[in-house]
């Protein structure tokens, strides 16, 4: 059996063992689709691949970078869709919906206000960022006359997956001298969208994009491993969000790196020139890639 046949056999076995929609082949009613049987749970024993231990003495070189993942780019669509969940199975949700749902349920606890993870955010803090409530003119008149406002006179605008414009991530590149290779560790992820207030006043015409919250990524791996992103090439092989992000199956643009000027961003020293900012981002990425190449140059 040659190498081509071996690879083909492995792929076929993977396709047989995987299911795009859990239990779809064994379900007797539509309600059973997406529900794992006890046999499947016992057989799978599915957990995220743990990070190996790396001693600080083994880190020969390191650099922290911040990147923007633009959701308008086709390669990043798996992080954005689906945005309309009315007519789609419960097993498919966007990355934003997965994070918010598990933050509210308490499965994700490490939520912060910034990428340095110094200020924790509570559910009340998130509610103020994700929801905007406004009283109508009739509600104001009722309050002035009666001292209270009926629910019917309160407008509520909530950010959802369709409002997310980009993701920002913070990662750590380092050289493992014991294994002699360049590695990447994702530390944090943050959804970026217009303020919830902008949904109420769409005609203002100003850019109100803000970082909604930062999540400590290593603490979310268990949740993201159970949530699947759509695989456009093979629907029988869905990709977990944990795998997708750890393997860097997305396109990101560096907008900041750790530096002596207080980690200033690229746009702070290259103003009003998108092309030069992009070239600077590429330069930073090229420097990181060359580190591993230079390691083996004598």
């Amino acid at each position: 059996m040659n190498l081509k046949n071996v690879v083909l056999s492995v792929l076929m076995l993977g396709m047989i063992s995987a299911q795009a929609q859990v239990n779809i082949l064994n379900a007797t009613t539509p309600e059973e689709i997406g529900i794992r049987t006890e046999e499947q749970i016992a057989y799978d024993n599915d957990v995220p691949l743990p990070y190996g231990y790396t001693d600080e003495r083994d880190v020969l070189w390191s650099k922290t970078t911040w990147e923007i993942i633009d959701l308008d780019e086709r390669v990043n669509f798996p992080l954005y869709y689906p945005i309309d969940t009315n007519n789609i199975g419960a097993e498919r949700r966007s990355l934003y919906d997965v994070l918010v749902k598990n933050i509210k349920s308490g499965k994700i606890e490490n939520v912060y206000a910034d990428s340095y993870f110094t200020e924790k955010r509570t559910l009340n803090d998130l509610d103020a960022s994700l929801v905007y409530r406004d009283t109508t003119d009739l509600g104001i008149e009722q309050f002035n006359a009666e001292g209270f406002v009926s629910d019917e006179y309160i407008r509520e605008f909530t950010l959802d997956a369709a409002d997310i414009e980009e993701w920002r991530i913070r990662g750590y590149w380092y050289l493992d001298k014991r294994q002699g290779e360049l590695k990447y560790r994702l530390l944090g992820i943050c959804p970026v969208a217009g303020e919830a207030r902008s949904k109420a006043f769409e005609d203002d015409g100003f850019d109100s994009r803000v970082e909604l919250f930062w999540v400590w990524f290593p603490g979310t791996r268990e949740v993201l491993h159970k949530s699947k992103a759509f695989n456009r090439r093979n629907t029988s092989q869905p990709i977990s969000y944990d795998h997708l992000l750890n393997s860097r199956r997305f396109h990101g643009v560096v907008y900041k790196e750790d530096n002596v000027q207080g980690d200033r961003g690229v746009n702070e020293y290259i103003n009003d020139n998108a092309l030069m900012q992009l070239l600077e981002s590429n330069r930073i990425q090229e420097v990181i890639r060359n580190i591993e190449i230079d390691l083996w140059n004598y």
Side-chain angles (χ1 to χ4, degrees):
M1 182 180 291
N2 57 32
L3 179 61
K4 181 179 179 180
N5 291 334
V6 171
V7 174
L8 182 59
S9 299
V10 172
L11 290 175
M12 290 300 294
L13 287 173
M15 290 172 63
I16 293 172
S17 62
Q19 295 178 347
Q21 297 185 43
V22 176
N23 204 36
I24 191 172
L25 298 179
N26 301 310
T28 56
T29 64
E31 288 75 16
E32 294 181 1
I33 297 177
I35 301 177
R36 289 184 178 273
T37 63
E38 294 182 2
E39 292 79 7
Q40 288 173 322
I41 295 174
Y43 177 76
D44 287 347
N45 191 24
D46 198 13
V47 294
L49 185 66
Y51 293 139
Y53 176 75
T54 302
D55 193 281
E56 296 294 334
R57 293 172 295 181
D58 294 334
V59 178
L60 187 63
W61 171 92
S62 67
K63 176 173 286 292
T64 301
T65 60
W66 289 257
E67 297 174 74
I68 292 175
I69 302 175
D70 189 351
L71 295 180
D72 282 335
E73 296 187 37
R74 185 179 297 274
V75 69
N76 297 328
F77 281 178
L79 296 174
Y80 181 62
Y81 291 101
I83 56 176
D84 183 3
T85 57
N86 292 328
N87 299 313
I88 201 167
E91 75 281 355
R92 287 186 57 190
R93 289 294 182 267
S94 70
L95 177 59
Y96 175 77
D97 285 338
V98 170
L99 289 179
V100 171
K101 175 184 176 181
N102 286 279
I103 289 172
K104 291 181 178 179
S105 67
K107 293 182 179 179
I108 296 178
E109 300 178 351
N110 298 314
V111 183
Y112 298 85
D114 57 72
S115 62
Y116 294 95
F117 313 110
T118 55
E119 180 186 348
K120 265 203 167 184
R121 304 199 70 179
T122 64
L123 285 177
N124 290 334
D125 296 332
L126 291 181
D127 185 70
S129 299
L130 306 182
V131 181
Y132 176 75
R133 298 176 179 87
D134 184 30
T135 304
T136 64
D137 293 339
L138 291 176
I140 295 174
E141 293 178 5
Q142 183 187 35
F143 181 80
N144 292 334
E146 304 176 19
F148 68 94
V149 180
S150 301
D151 292 341
E152 60 184 306
Y153 298 132
I154 297 177
R155 300 187 302 168
E156 186 173 288
F157 301 87
T158 304
L159 293 178
D160 51 38
D163 299 312
I164 305 303
E165 300 181 25
E166 63 187 41
W167 288 90
R168 294 183 184 176
I169 60 174
R170 177 187 174 188
Y172 185 76
W173 293 93
Y174 65 98
L175 271 177
D176 188 333
K177 69 178 182 181
R178 185 178 296 274
Q179 298 187 19
E181 63 179 317
L182 180 68
K183 295 185 177 181
Y184 178 78
R185 181 70 57 85
L186 183 58
L187 300 179
I189 185 167
C190 165
V192 177
E195 296 177 350
R197 179 181 178 277
S198 64
K199 297 187 72 172
F201 305 99
E202 297 179 356
D203 298 332
D204 287 353
F206 65 94
D207 186 2
S208 61
R209 286 181 297 179
V210 294
E211 296 180 349
L212 300 179
F213 54 84
W214 279 87
V215 175
W216 174 250
F217 182 79
T220 67
R221 295 193 63 210
E222 187 72 32
V223 168
L224 295 182
H225 181 73
K226 296 177 181 179
S227 304
K228 307 299 181 181
F230 184 75
N231 184 350
R232 72 189 71 171
R233 295 185 177 180
N234 186 354
T235 56
S236 71
Q237 294 279 353
I239 308 166
S240 72
Y241 283 115
D242 175 66
H243 182 195
L244 188 150
L245 291 168
N246 272 310
S247 58
R248 291 187 59 87
R249 297 178 65 164
F250 57 81
H251 177 254
V253 177
V254 176
Y255 70 93
K256 186 167 68 169
E257 63 173 333
D258 52 353
N259 51 59
V260 71
Q261 292 92 355
D263 299 347
R264 66 174 180 173
V266 171
N267 62 350
E268 294 182 45
Y269 59 92
I270 301 179
N271 297 319
D272 301 325
N273 193 325
L275 176 59
M276 295 305 297
Q277 291 174 2
L278 181 60
L279 292 176
E280 174 65 8
S281 173
N282 291 337
R283 185 196 66 81
I284 295 172
Q285 293 176 322
E286 191 67 23
V287 168
I288 294 174
R289 283 193 295 265
N290 287 340
I291 287 293
E292 185 177 29
I293 298 174
D294 294 340
L295 179 67
W296 300 105
N297 285 340
Y298 298 95

